[in-house]
PDB file of all heavy atoms in Angstrom:
ATOM      1  N   VAL A   1       0.847  -1.194   0.000  1.00 98.00           N
ATOM      2  CA  VAL A   1       0.000   0.000   0.000  1.00 98.00           C
ATOM      3  C   VAL A   1       0.882   1.244   0.000  1.00 98.00           C
ATOM      4  O   VAL A   1       1.663   1.479   0.928  1.00 98.00           O
ATOM      5  CB  VAL A   1      -0.950  -0.002   1.213  1.00 98.00           C
ATOM      6  CG1 VAL A   1      -1.711   1.316   1.298  1.00 98.00           C
ATOM      7  CG2 VAL A   1      -1.934  -1.167   1.100  1.00 98.00           C
ATOM      8  N   ASP A   2       0.747   2.049  -1.047  1.00 96.00           N
ATOM      9  CA  ASP A   2       1.641   3.193  -1.264  1.00 96.00           C
ATOM     10  C   ASP A   2       1.016   4.474  -0.718  1.00 96.00           C
ATOM     11  O   ASP A   2       0.730   5.418  -1.456  1.00 96.00           O
ATOM     12  CB  ASP A   2       1.930   3.321  -2.759  1.00 96.00           C
ATOM     13  CG  ASP A   2       3.001   4.350  -3.052  1.00 96.00           C
ATOM     14  OD1 ASP A   2       3.804   4.646  -2.145  1.00 96.00           O
ATOM     15  OD2 ASP A   2       3.033   4.876  -4.182  1.00 96.00           O
ATOM     16  N   SER A   3       0.791   4.528   0.587  1.00 96.00           N
ATOM     17  CA  SER A   3       0.207   5.705   1.217  1.00 96.00           C
ATOM     18  C   SER A   3       1.235   6.390   2.110  1.00 96.00           C
ATOM     19  O   SER A   3       2.233   5.780   2.500  1.00 96.00           O
ATOM     20  CB  SER A   3      -1.031   5.317   2.034  1.00 96.00           C
ATOM     21  OG  SER A   3      -2.034   4.804   1.188  1.00 96.00           O
ATOM     22  N   SER A   4       0.961   7.637   2.448  1.00 95.00           N
ATOM     23  CA  SER A   4       1.921   8.379   3.268  1.00 95.00           C
ATOM     24  C   SER A   4       1.981   7.831   4.687  1.00 95.00           C
ATOM     25  O   SER A   4       2.991   7.976   5.374  1.00 95.00           O
ATOM     26  CB  SER A   4       1.576   9.863   3.281  1.00 95.00           C
ATOM     27  OG  SER A   4       0.308  10.089   3.856  1.00 95.00           O
ATOM     28  N   ALA A   5       0.894   7.203   5.142  1.00 97.00           N
ATOM     29  CA  ALA A   5       0.896   6.536   6.445  1.00 97.00           C
ATOM     30  C   ALA A   5       0.126   5.225   6.316  1.00 97.00           C
ATOM     31  O   ALA A   5      -1.008   5.209   5.824  1.00 97.00           O
ATOM     32  CB  ALA A   5       0.259   7.413   7.515  1.00 97.00           C
ATOM     33  N   VAL A   6       0.737   4.140   6.739  1.00 98.00           N
ATOM     34  CA  VAL A   6       0.104   2.817   6.690  1.00 98.00           C
ATOM     35  C   VAL A   6       0.156   2.228   8.102  1.00 98.00           C
ATOM     36  O   VAL A   6       1.199   2.254   8.760  1.00 98.00           O
ATOM     37  CB  VAL A   6       0.827   1.881   5.700  1.00 98.00           C
ATOM     38  CG1 VAL A   6       0.107   0.538   5.616  1.00 98.00           C
ATOM     39  CG2 VAL A   6       0.901   2.515   4.313  1.00 98.00           C
ATOM     40  N   TYR A   7      -0.981   1.704   8.560  1.00 98.00           N
ATOM     41  CA  TYR A   7      -1.097   1.240   9.945  1.00 98.00           C
ATOM     42  C   TYR A   7      -1.402  -0.247  10.018  1.00 98.00           C
ATOM     43  O   TYR A   7      -2.133  -0.787   9.179  1.00 98.00           O
ATOM     44  CB  TYR A   7      -2.214   2.004  10.664  1.00 98.00           C
ATOM     45  CG  TYR A   7      -1.947   3.485  10.782  1.00 98.00           C
ATOM     46  CD1 TYR A   7      -2.476   4.387   9.853  1.00 98.00           C
ATOM     47  CD2 TYR A   7      -1.160   3.981  11.812  1.00 98.00           C
ATOM     48  CE1 TYR A   7      -2.221   5.744   9.947  1.00 98.00           C
ATOM     49  CE2 TYR A   7      -0.898   5.342  11.916  1.00 98.00           C
ATOM     50  CZ  TYR A   7      -1.428   6.220  10.991  1.00 98.00           C
ATOM     51  OH  TYR A   7      -1.168   7.552  11.083  1.00 98.00           O
ATOM     52  N   VAL A   8      -0.870  -0.874  11.054  1.00 98.00           N
ATOM     53  CA  VAL A   8      -1.187  -2.259  11.384  1.00 98.00           C
ATOM     54  C   VAL A   8      -1.847  -2.262  12.760  1.00 98.00           C
ATOM     55  O   VAL A   8      -1.249  -1.815  13.747  1.00 98.00           O
ATOM     56  CB  VAL A   8       0.076  -3.141  11.400  1.00 98.00           C
ATOM     57  CG1 VAL A   8      -0.282  -4.570  11.826  1.00 98.00           C
ATOM     58  CG2 VAL A   8       0.755  -3.146  10.036  1.00 98.00           C
ATOM     59  N   ASN A   9      -3.101  -2.693  12.798  1.00 98.00           N
ATOM     60  CA  ASN A   9      -3.861  -2.775  14.055  1.00 98.00           C
ATOM     61  C   ASN A   9      -3.894  -1.439  14.801  1.00 98.00           C
ATOM     62  O   ASN A   9      -3.685  -1.371  16.020  1.00 98.00           O
ATOM     63  CB  ASN A   9      -3.285  -3.880  14.962  1.00 98.00           C
ATOM     64  CG  ASN A   9      -3.400  -5.247  14.323  1.00 98.00           C
ATOM     65  OD1 ASN A   9      -4.350  -5.524  13.598  1.00 98.00           O
ATOM     66  ND2 ASN A   9      -2.418  -6.096  14.571  1.00 98.00           N
ATOM     67  N   ALA A  10      -4.140  -0.376  14.059  1.00 98.00           N
ATOM     68  CA  ALA A  10      -4.242   0.958  14.657  1.00 98.00           C
ATOM     69  C   ALA A  10      -5.181   1.816  13.812  1.00 98.00           C
ATOM     70  O   ALA A  10      -5.368   1.581  12.613  1.00 98.00           O
ATOM     71  CB  ALA A  10      -2.865   1.614  14.750  1.00 98.00           C
ATOM     72  N   SER A  11      -5.751   2.823  14.450  1.00 97.00           N
ATOM     73  CA  SER A  11      -6.687   3.722  13.796  1.00 97.00           C
ATOM     74  C   SER A  11      -5.975   4.677  12.841  1.00 97.00           C
ATOM     75  O   SER A  11      -4.869   5.150  13.128  1.00 97.00           O
ATOM     76  CB  SER A  11      -7.430   4.530  14.871  1.00 97.00           C
ATOM     77  OG  SER A  11      -8.142   5.600  14.315  1.00 97.00           O
ATOM     78  N   THR A  12      -6.634   4.978  11.728  1.00 97.00           N
ATOM     79  CA  THR A  12      -6.076   5.969  10.785  1.00 97.00           C
ATOM     80  C   THR A  12      -6.046   7.371  11.384  1.00 97.00           C
ATOM     81  O   THR A  12      -5.373   8.256  10.856  1.00 97.00           O
ATOM     82  CB  THR A  12      -6.907   6.006   9.489  1.00 97.00           C
ATOM     83  OG1 THR A  12      -8.285   6.285   9.813  1.00 97.00           O
ATOM     84  CG2 THR A  12      -6.817   4.694   8.739  1.00 97.00           C
ATOM     85  N   ARG A  13      -6.751   7.581  12.492  1.00 97.00           N
ATOM     86  CA  ARG A  13      -6.797   8.899  13.131  1.00 97.00           C
ATOM     87  C   ARG A  13      -5.441   9.354  13.673  1.00 97.00           C
ATOM     88  O   ARG A  13      -5.270  10.511  14.045  1.00 97.00           O
ATOM     89  CB  ARG A  13      -7.828   8.894  14.266  1.00 97.00           C
ATOM     90  CG  ARG A  13      -9.265   8.897  13.795  1.00 97.00           C
ATOM     91  CD  ARG A  13      -9.696  10.294  13.337  1.00 97.00           C
ATOM     92  NE  ARG A  13      -9.766  11.205  14.476  1.00 97.00           N
ATOM     93  CZ  ARG A  13      -9.155  12.380  14.537  1.00 97.00           C
ATOM     94  NH1 ARG A  13      -8.429  12.807  13.526  1.00 97.00           N
ATOM     95  NH2 ARG A  13      -9.275  13.140  15.616  1.00 97.00           N
ATOM     96  N   PHE A  14      -4.454   8.469  13.674  1.00 95.00           N
ATOM     97  CA  PHE A  14      -3.139   8.855  14.197  1.00 95.00           C
ATOM     98  C   PHE A  14      -2.334   9.720  13.228  1.00 95.00           C
ATOM     99  O   PHE A  14      -1.301  10.273  13.622  1.00 95.00           O
ATOM    100  CB  PHE A  14      -2.325   7.608  14.567  1.00 95.00           C
ATOM    101  CG  PHE A  14      -2.711   7.020  15.896  1.00 95.00           C
ATOM    102  CD1 PHE A  14      -3.533   5.902  15.958  1.00 95.00           C
ATOM    103  CD2 PHE A  14      -2.275   7.580  17.083  1.00 95.00           C
ATOM    104  CE1 PHE A  14      -3.900   5.351  17.179  1.00 95.00           C
ATOM    105  CE2 PHE A  14      -2.637   7.037  18.311  1.00 95.00           C
ATOM    106  CZ  PHE A  14      -3.454   5.929  18.358  1.00 95.00           C
ATOM    107  N   THR A  15      -2.756   9.838  11.980  1.00 94.00           N
ATOM    108  CA  THR A  15      -1.993  10.647  11.026  1.00 94.00           C
ATOM    109  C   THR A  15      -2.193  12.120  11.352  1.00 94.00           C
ATOM    110  O   THR A  15      -3.087  12.802  10.841  1.00 94.00           O
ATOM    111  CB  THR A  15      -2.426  10.359   9.574  1.00 94.00           C
ATOM    112  OG1 THR A  15      -2.380   8.956   9.341  1.00 94.00           O
ATOM    113  CG2 THR A  15      -1.510  11.057   8.586  1.00 94.00           C
ATOM    114  N   ASP A  16      -1.329  12.624  12.205  1.00 90.00           N
ATOM    115  CA  ASP A  16      -1.474  13.962  12.756  1.00 90.00           C
ATOM    116  C   ASP A  16      -0.123  14.382  13.329  1.00 90.00           C
ATOM    117  O   ASP A  16       0.540  13.585  13.989  1.00 90.00           O
ATOM    118  CB  ASP A  16      -2.549  13.931  13.854  1.00 90.00           C
ATOM    119  CG  ASP A  16      -2.661  15.227  14.612  1.00 90.00           C
ATOM    120  OD1 ASP A  16      -3.409  16.109  14.173  1.00 90.00           O
ATOM    121  OD2 ASP A  16      -1.985  15.365  15.651  1.00 90.00           O
ATOM    122  N   GLY A  17       0.273  15.623  13.060  1.00 84.00           N
ATOM    123  CA  GLY A  17       1.580  16.082  13.524  1.00 84.00           C
ATOM    124  C   GLY A  17       1.751  15.987  15.018  1.00 84.00           C
ATOM    125  O   GLY A  17       2.814  15.606  15.519  1.00 84.00           O
ATOM    126  N   GLY A  18       0.686  16.318  15.773  1.00 80.00           N
ATOM    127  CA  GLY A  18       0.765  16.231  17.230  1.00 80.00           C
ATOM    128  C   GLY A  18       0.945  14.802  17.692  1.00 80.00           C
ATOM    129  O   GLY A  18       1.775  14.498  18.553  1.00 80.00           O
ATOM    130  N   GLN A  19       0.162  13.872  17.096  1.00 89.00           N
ATOM    131  CA  GLN A  19       0.254  12.460  17.466  1.00 89.00           C
ATOM    132  C   GLN A  19       1.609  11.859  17.091  1.00 89.00           C
ATOM    133  O   GLN A  19       2.111  10.960  17.757  1.00 89.00           O
ATOM    134  CB  GLN A  19      -0.869  11.664  16.796  1.00 89.00           C
ATOM    135  CG  GLN A  19      -2.251  12.027  17.285  1.00 89.00           C
ATOM    136  CD  GLN A  19      -2.483  11.633  18.727  1.00 89.00           C
ATOM    137  OE1 GLN A  19      -2.109  10.555  19.159  1.00 89.00           O
ATOM    138  NE2 GLN A  19      -3.096  12.530  19.490  1.00 89.00           N
ATOM    139  N   PHE A  20       2.203  12.357  16.009  1.00 89.00           N
ATOM    140  CA  PHE A  20       3.502  11.845  15.561  1.00 89.00           C
ATOM    141  C   PHE A  20       4.673  12.482  16.317  1.00 89.00           C
ATOM    142  O   PHE A  20       5.827  12.163  16.049  1.00 89.00           O
ATOM    143  CB  PHE A  20       3.681  12.102  14.058  1.00 89.00           C
ATOM    144  CG  PHE A  20       2.998  11.091  13.163  1.00 89.00           C
ATOM    145  CD1 PHE A  20       1.969  10.299  13.619  1.00 89.00           C
ATOM    146  CD2 PHE A  20       3.388  10.946  11.836  1.00 89.00           C
ATOM    147  CE1 PHE A  20       1.334   9.378  12.798  1.00 89.00           C
ATOM    148  CE2 PHE A  20       2.763  10.029  11.000  1.00 89.00           C
ATOM    149  CZ  PHE A  20       1.739   9.242  11.478  1.00 89.00           C
ATOM    150  N   GLY A  21       4.368  13.401  17.244  1.00 81.00           N
ATOM    151  CA  GLY A  21       5.421  14.063  17.997  1.00 81.00           C
ATOM    152  C   GLY A  21       6.104  15.188  17.254  1.00 81.00           C
ATOM    153  O   GLY A  21       7.203  15.617  17.615  1.00 81.00           O
ATOM    154  N   LEU A  22       5.447  15.689  16.206  1.00 79.00           N
ATOM    155  CA  LEU A  22       6.025  16.778  15.410  1.00 79.00           C
ATOM    156  C   LEU A  22       5.578  18.148  15.889  1.00 79.00           C
ATOM    157  O   LEU A  22       6.021  19.161  15.363  1.00 79.00           O
ATOM    158  CB  LEU A  22       5.607  16.620  13.928  1.00 79.00           C
ATOM    159  CG  LEU A  22       5.898  15.281  13.257  1.00 79.00           C
ATOM    160  CD1 LEU A  22       5.358  15.268  11.843  1.00 79.00           C
ATOM    161  CD2 LEU A  22       7.397  15.003  13.261  1.00 79.00           C
ATOM    162  N   GLY A  23       4.668  18.198  16.875  1.00 66.00           N
ATOM    163  CA  GLY A  23       4.033  19.467  17.227  1.00 66.00           C
ATOM    164  C   GLY A  23       2.873  19.683  16.283  1.00 66.00           C
ATOM    165  O   GLY A  23       2.394  18.769  15.622  1.00 66.00           O
ATOM    166  N   ALA A  24       2.397  20.904  16.207  1.00 65.00           N
ATOM    167  CA  ALA A  24       1.314  21.215  15.266  1.00 65.00           C
ATOM    168  C   ALA A  24       1.812  21.022  13.839  1.00 65.00           C
ATOM    169  O   ALA A  24       2.943  21.361  13.519  1.00 65.00           O
ATOM    170  CB  ALA A  24       0.854  22.661  15.478  1.00 65.00           C
ATOM    171  N   GLU A  25       0.978  20.442  12.986  1.00 76.00           N
ATOM    172  CA  GLU A  25       1.398  20.196  11.614  1.00 76.00           C
ATOM    173  C   GLU A  25       0.949  21.333  10.707  1.00 76.00           C
ATOM    174  O   GLU A  25      -0.070  21.982  10.955  1.00 76.00           O
ATOM    175  CB  GLU A  25       0.817  18.877  11.108  1.00 76.00           C
ATOM    176  CG  GLU A  25      -0.684  18.955  10.871  1.00 76.00           C
ATOM    177  CD  GLU A  25      -1.323  17.616  10.586  1.00 76.00           C
ATOM    178  OE1 GLU A  25      -0.761  16.586  10.978  1.00 76.00           O
ATOM    179  OE2 GLU A  25      -2.416  17.611  10.000  1.00 76.00           O
ATOM    180  N   VAL A  26       1.709  21.545   9.642  1.00 82.00           N
ATOM    181  CA  VAL A  26       1.325  22.567   8.675  1.00 82.00           C
ATOM    182  C   VAL A  26       0.401  21.966   7.611  1.00 82.00           C
ATOM    183  O   VAL A  26      -0.413  22.661   7.015  1.00 82.00           O
ATOM    184  CB  VAL A  26       2.575  23.218   8.041  1.00 82.00           C
ATOM    185  CG1 VAL A  26       3.310  22.252   7.149  1.00 82.00           C
ATOM    186  CG2 VAL A  26       2.227  24.475   7.277  1.00 82.00           C
ATOM    187  N   ALA A  27       0.498  20.670   7.383  1.00 84.00           N
ATOM    188  CA  ALA A  27      -0.355  19.976   6.407  1.00 84.00           C
ATOM    189  C   ALA A  27       0.002  18.495   6.448  1.00 84.00           C
ATOM    190  O   ALA A  27       0.973  18.094   7.095  1.00 84.00           O
ATOM    191  CB  ALA A  27      -0.132  20.532   4.995  1.00 84.00           C
ATOM    192  N   VAL A  28      -0.793  17.692   5.746  1.00 89.00           N
ATOM    193  CA  VAL A  28      -0.440  16.292   5.495  1.00 89.00           C
ATOM    194  C   VAL A  28      -0.193  16.168   3.997  1.00 89.00           C
ATOM    195  O   VAL A  28      -1.097  16.388   3.188  1.00 89.00           O
ATOM    196  CB  VAL A  28      -1.558  15.328   5.930  1.00 89.00           C
ATOM    197  CG1 VAL A  28      -1.212  13.892   5.535  1.00 89.00           C
ATOM    198  CG2 VAL A  28      -1.795  15.409   7.430  1.00 89.00           C
ATOM    199  N   SER A  29       1.027  15.850   3.637  1.00 91.00           N
ATOM    200  CA  SER A  29       1.385  15.725   2.225  1.00 91.00           C
ATOM    201  C   SER A  29       1.170  14.291   1.762  1.00 91.00           C
ATOM    202  O   SER A  29       1.596  13.345   2.428  1.00 91.00           O
ATOM    203  CB  SER A  29       2.845  16.120   2.015  1.00 91.00           C
ATOM    204  OG  SER A  29       3.281  15.753   0.720  1.00 91.00           O
ATOM    205  N   THR A  30       0.524  14.137   0.607  1.00 90.00           N
ATOM    206  CA  THR A  30       0.362  12.803   0.033  1.00 90.00           C
ATOM    207  C   THR A  30       1.233  12.627  -1.211  1.00 90.00           C
ATOM    208  O   THR A  30       1.104  11.638  -1.918  1.00 90.00           O
ATOM    209  CB  THR A  30      -1.117  12.535  -0.326  1.00 90.00           C
ATOM    210  OG1 THR A  30      -1.585  13.566  -1.184  1.00 90.00           O
ATOM    211  CG2 THR A  30      -1.974  12.494   0.923  1.00 90.00           C
ATOM    212  N   GLN A  31       2.105  13.602  -1.462  1.00 87.00           N
ATOM    213  CA  GLN A  31       3.032  13.456  -2.572  1.00 87.00           C
ATOM    214  C   GLN A  31       4.351  12.898  -2.054  1.00 87.00           C
ATOM    215  O   GLN A  31       4.499  12.618  -0.868  1.00 87.00           O
ATOM    216  CB  GLN A  31       3.238  14.790  -3.280  1.00 87.00           C
ATOM    217  CG  GLN A  31       3.869  15.877  -2.423  1.00 87.00           C
ATOM    218  CD  GLN A  31       3.867  17.221  -3.122  1.00 87.00           C
ATOM    219  OE1 GLN A  31       2.882  17.640  -3.713  1.00 87.00           O
ATOM    220  NE2 GLN A  31       4.976  17.923  -3.042  1.00 87.00           N
ATOM    221  N   LYS A  32       5.314  12.716  -2.955  1.00 88.00           N
ATOM    222  CA  LYS A  32       6.535  12.017  -2.564  1.00 88.00           C
ATOM    223  C   LYS A  32       7.764  12.913  -2.534  1.00 88.00           C
ATOM    224  O   LYS A  32       8.759  12.561  -1.899  1.00 88.00           O
ATOM    225  CB  LYS A  32       6.778  10.837  -3.506  1.00 88.00           C
ATOM    226  CG  LYS A  32       5.669   9.798  -3.439  1.00 88.00           C
ATOM    227  CD  LYS A  32       5.944   8.627  -4.339  1.00 88.00           C
ATOM    228  CE  LYS A  32       4.796   7.628  -4.278  1.00 88.00           C
ATOM    229  NZ  LYS A  32       5.032   6.451  -5.135  1.00 88.00           N
ATOM    230  N   LEU A  33       7.726  14.040  -3.218  1.00 87.00           N
ATOM    231  CA  LEU A  33       8.887  14.914  -3.239  1.00 87.00           C
ATOM    232  C   LEU A  33       8.817  15.935  -2.119  1.00 87.00           C
ATOM    233  O   LEU A  33       7.750  16.457  -1.791  1.00 87.00           O
ATOM    234  CB  LEU A  33       9.000  15.614  -4.596  1.00 87.00           C
ATOM    235  CG  LEU A  33       9.297  14.706  -5.789  1.00 87.00           C
ATOM    236  CD1 LEU A  33       9.392  15.517  -7.069  1.00 87.00           C
ATOM    237  CD2 LEU A  33      10.586  13.924  -5.581  1.00 87.00           C
ATOM    238  N   HIS A  34       9.926  16.241  -1.547  1.00 88.00           N
ATOM    239  CA  HIS A  34      10.156  17.199  -0.460  1.00 88.00           C
ATOM    240  C   HIS A  34       9.592  16.719   0.872  1.00 88.00           C
ATOM    241  O   HIS A  34      10.317  16.641   1.845  1.00 88.00           O
ATOM    242  CB  HIS A  34       9.619  18.601  -0.771  1.00 88.00           C
ATOM    243  CG  HIS A  34       9.899  19.575   0.340  1.00 88.00           C
ATOM    244  ND1 HIS A  34      11.170  20.012   0.597  1.00 88.00           N
ATOM    245  CD2 HIS A  34       9.108  20.135   1.285  1.00 88.00           C
ATOM    246  CE1 HIS A  34      11.144  20.817   1.659  1.00 88.00           C
ATOM    247  NE2 HIS A  34       9.914  20.909   2.090  1.00 88.00           N
TER     248      HIS A  34
END
């Protein structure tokens, strides 16, 4: 599965800068460059 976030036995709701420990996120990118 070629997605920006792929989960095993976890909710998709975790795709979030705060949840990932990044602080507030500026966006979620689904592209591959940068």
Side-chain angles (χ1 to χ4, degrees):
V1 173
D2 188 23
S3 296
S4 62
V6 183
Y7 297 96
V8 177
N9 297 326
S11 168
T12 56
R13 286 282 292 127
F14 280 101
T15 308
D16 173 88
Q19 294 293 317
F20 279 20
L22 306 177
E25 71 189 23
V26 69
V28 175
S29 168
T30 55
Q31 63 188 45
K32 297 182 182 181
L33 294 180
H34 182 70

